[in-house]
Amino acid sequence: RFTPGDWAAALAVVGLWGSNFIAVKIALSDLPPFLLTGLRFVGVALLLAPLFRPRLDQLPGILGIGLVLGVGHFGFIFYALSGMEAATTAIVTQLGTPFSVLLAWAVFGEKLSRAHALGLGLAFAGVALLAGEPSLPSLFPLAVAVLAMLAWAVSNVQVKRLTPLSPMTLNGWMAVFAAPMLLALSWAVEDGQVAAVRAAGWQVWAAMGYTILGSSVIAYTLWYRLLARHSMNRIVPIT
């Protein structure tokens, strides 16, 4: 059962992640998406990695999470945000719930009831309707956002299967692996990074600070703890 502390943590995660769409949209006004994501994880790594150390046998699993969650989810969702409104992107991210429910059923054998099936159908139908939203200039950012949420669902499975690890350790060392991959991706497909960093105003760096501390360090630490305590079908729908 959920304790009052679990409910408080879950509601804090929802609030911090919801507000993060606004912060990221502000930061994207000056910084390209993959550079922004890479710098975010540089900040997380600098804050946490020196303080928390995983065992050597845990590093391959953390590397996989860095690739799937760091690059596949965050890199892609930031890219999608650069081409869509924050509210539209926030709605598309709700696909993380049906994707996670399906994966929990397939991988862990968690129960999939008729009510779950109805909810899944409604969720996918809602995003299909959203594809015709008038202010959406192109379907490509929408498709990228959908892939990003599939990556998020896969990362939840990875976290559940990982050898028991403190949330702070996982948070910090996932960032250690994700940051260089994202910065290399930025170098390969983006340009003007140095000029963008120099031109960024205080609002951009304040938004960056929020994504590092609020969305990453605090929210994901709480999220990993909840994933360790409860089944995916129990915790993911709260988002």
Side-chain angles (χ1 to χ4, degrees), residues 93-118:
T93 61
Q94 300 315 304
L95 279 178
T97 296
F99 282 148
S100 294
V101 169
L102 286 172
L103 285 173
W105 168 71
V107 176
F108 299 116
E110 293 186 13
K111 182 180 178 182
L112 188 61
S113 66
R114 290 182 180 179
H116 280 129
L118 177 60

Side-chain angles (χ1 to χ4, degrees), residues 11-239:
L11 292 174
V13 168
V14 171
L16 290 167
W17 281 352
S19 302
N20 190 54
F21 287 103
I22 308 303
V24 171
K25 195 67 177 177
I26 292 171
L28 286 170
S29 63
D30 285 335
L31 300 176
F34 294 124
L35 175 64
L36 170 60
T37 319
L39 293 176
R40 167 187 178 157
F41 285 119
V42 168
V44 175
L46 290 175
L47 283 173
L48 297 181
L51 302 176
F52 303 94
R53 299 292 177 89
R55 301 194 312 267
L56 288 178
D57 64 293
Q58 295 170 324
L59 291 178
I62 299 173
L63 172 61
I65 294 170
L67 177 62
V68 174
L69 181 64
V71 180
H73 171 64
F74 283 107
F76 282 14
I77 205 68
F78 281 25
Y79 179 86
L81 259 172
S82 69
M84 292 196 299
E85 293 180 350
T88 304
T89 311
I91 294 171
V92 175
T93 61
Q94 300 315 304
L95 279 178
T97 296
F99 282 148
S100 294
V101 169
L102 286 172
L103 285 173
W105 168 71
V107 176
F108 299 116
E110 293 186 13
K111 182 180 178 182
L112 188 61
S113 66
R114 290 182 180 179
H116 280 129
L118 177 60
L120 291 173
L122 288 171
F124 286 118
V127 175
L129 288 172
L130 185 68
E133 197 263 334
S135 63
L136 191 64
S138 166
L139 289 180
F140 185 70
L142 178 69
V144 172
V146 171
L147 288 175
M149 295 321 299
L150 178 58
W152 184 78
V154 171
S155 75
N156 287 328
V157 173
Q158 290 176 296
V159 172
K160 289 287 285 183
R161 295 181 117 178
L162 194 64
T163 305
L165 185 67
S166 78
M168 287 288 196
T169 306
L170 177 55
N171 225 346
W173 282 85
M174 186 277 286
V176 168
F177 291 123
M181 290 188 281
L182 285 158
L183 293 175
L185 185 58
S186 174
W187 177 81
V189 304
E190 296 172 338
D191 53 36
Q193 291 93 330
V194 174
V197 169
R198 289 177 176 174
W202 69 267
Q203 298 95 333
V204 170
W205 299 114
M208 175 77 77
Y210 179 88
T211 66
I212 292 171
L213 292 173
S215 178
S216 293
V217 174
I218 298 175
Y220 262 95
T221 295
L222 294 173
W223 182 250
Y224 292 148
R225 186 173 290 119
L226 288 168
L227 274 178
R229 289 170 56 87
H230 302 283
S231 69
M232 283 176 58
N233 283 351
R234 183 75 174 93
I235 182 63
V236 171
I238 292 176
T239 62

